[in-house]
Amino acid sequence: GLHLPGNIDLAGNSFGSFPDGLAAISGPDAIPQSGLGQIVLFVGLLELFVMKDVTGEAEFAGDFRNGALDFGWDTFSEDTKLRKRAIELNNGRAAMMGILGLMVHEKINQLTYYNDPIQVDLPIIGVL
């Protein structure tokens, strides 16, 4: 897989020294539990303090523009807004199904797609 250059911690462990996929969070070479805790804490803080409607101007659930970002959204008709939101939801669902498929294949074959693309049979995706 692709890894960032440099070290992930002060002990000198590089990003590439940790495995890909689910093995990155469970297994003998997984990131330390304190690192996983930091990730969970960071996501929790984002959920509690950043990703919320602070102005009360949200048009729909998940509208976090807070009056700062527009990019022309307010110029669309209500039908266009509804269609664009439906497209975005469907793209998110498709992405979730895609990553779920890769995770299932990883567990079936006990390897990641990047480790050995020949053994992983993904006829729909093919060789990336």
Side-chain angles (χ1 to χ4, degrees), residues 2-97:
L2 299 174
H3 297 278
L4 296 172
N7 296 331
I8 194 169
D9 59 12
L10 297 176
N13 295 318
S14 68
F15 285 95
S17 67
F18 296 103
D20 299 322
L22 295 175
I25 58 173
S26 66
D29 296 328
I31 60 172
Q33 292 301 312
S34 60
L36 187 60
Q38 288 176 14
I39 294 170
V40 170
L41 178 67
F42 178 69
V43 170
L45 290 173
L46 286 176
E47 286 287 332
L48 290 174
F49 300 110
V50 178
M51 302 300 289
K52 61 181 183 175
D53 179 24
V54 294
T55 61
E57 300 173 359
E59 291 183 36
F60 49 87
D63 181 9
F64 302 129
R65 292 178 294 153
N66 293 319
L69 299 173
D70 185 10
F71 300 120
W73 179 258
D74 295 330
T75 62
F76 296 130
S77 69
E78 290 302 316
D79 289 339
T80 303
K81 287 180 182 180
L82 186 62
R83 185 177 59 83
K84 287 184 176 286
R85 285 179 46 215
I87 290 170
E88 183 67 21
L89 283 172
N90 286 334
N91 286 342
R93 291 174 183 141
M96 287 187 281
M97 293 304 295

